[in-house]
Amino acid sequence: MRVIFVALPFMTCGFLAWATTLRVAIVTRSVLNWWLFVGNVALNILWIVYLAQDNTDDFSSREGNIGMIGMISTGAAAIAYYLFADFRHYRGRPAPYAGYYPPHMAPPYQPPPANSGYGYGGQTRPMGGPQQHGGPQQPPQLQQHQQPPYARPGPATPVPAQPNPSTPPPRIDQVRAELDELSDLLRRDSGEGDRR
């Protein structure tokens, strides 16, 4: 848009310079810019009156020269003020992206509660399925061989022990039971829908 409003007075030798000041007045909503728009329109009318008083074909009389110099000067001034006001108006706005806080305005970090499950802030609770008796089970820990930071690993690095693949972890059993229960429920519902 900026290019169009700069090119408009330039391409029309200042006749449409009022359009740039009108845009500045609308965008900035400033009383001063509205008065500059009215002054620009008045000057354009004045320069057209001077051009109308010229009786030569090429505007070579004194009135024609005054009218053309005034029209071109008004166009150049309108372009300069338009660029100044447009840059000043958009420079004062905050950046269009969100999420950045200056260091002095950043909210303090608060870690989530220890009992929050799945990142939703509530405690997890199993939905039906096989009930496990006893306390919570800890996942099997892998044995890790730690080396001092200065030692080079040799060719005989011990491999961590792998859990037995034949026994699935208890969480998978719970998920399987929930999926089986859900599929039974869907089969029942779809069976009732077919009878209608």
Side-chain angles (χ1 to χ4, degrees):
M1 294 296 290
R2 190 175 289 155
V3 174
I4 293 170
F5 282 101
V6 167
L8 196 62
F10 180 75
M11 300 297 272
T12 62
C13 294
F15 279 99
L16 294 179
W18 57 268
T20 59
T21 54
L22 176 63
R23 168 139 167 88
V24 169
I26 290 172
V27 168
T28 61
R29 298 181 181 141
S30 168
V31 175
L32 171 69
N33 289 330
W34 281 106
W35 280 110
L36 287 175
F37 165 67
V38 170
N40 194 332
V41 170
L43 281 175
N44 276 351
I45 291 171
L46 176 69
W47 305 136
I48 290 172
V49 168
Y50 269 109
L51 289 173
Q53 290 178 355
D54 185 13
N55 294 331
T56 62
D57 291 339
D58 60 352
F59 300 113
S60 61
S61 73
R62 183 174 162 254
E63 290 83 13
N65 286 336
I66 291 173
M68 285 307 291
I69 290 172
M71 191 68 74
I72 291 173
S73 299
T74 303
I79 290 172
Y81 184 73
Y82 172 74
L83 290 173
F84 168 74
D86 199 45
F87 285 134
R88 184 181 61 186
H89 176 69
Y90 287 112
R91 182 182 43 178
R93 287 190 172 182
Y97 58 89
Y100 171 74
Y101 287 103
H104 65 280
M105 295 182 65
Y109 174 73
Q110 296 177 353
N115 65 351
S116 64
Y118 300 113
Y120 292 112
Q123 224 176 1
T124 59
R125 97 187 140 97
M127 300 179 55
Q131 297 293 327
Q132 298 176 359
H133 298 287
Q137 296 180 354
Q138 297 292 329
Q141 298 291 326
L142 298 177
Q143 296 176 359
Q144 295 180 350
H145 177 72
Q146 295 183 354
Q147 296 179 349
Y150 55 84
R152 281 189 251 154
T157 305
V159 179
Q162 298 292 328
N164 189 358
S166 63
T167 59
R171 177 78 178 130
I172 290 179
D173 289 337
Q174 180 183 354
V175 171
R176 282 184 188 150
E178 290 174 5
L179 286 174
D180 289 340
E181 185 178 328
L182 182 61
S183 63
D184 290 341
L185 180 67
L186 288 174
R187 277 192 214 110
R188 265 188 293 157
D189 287 347
S190 66
E192 290 175 7
D194 293 339
R195 293 182 201 143
R196 293 182 192 180

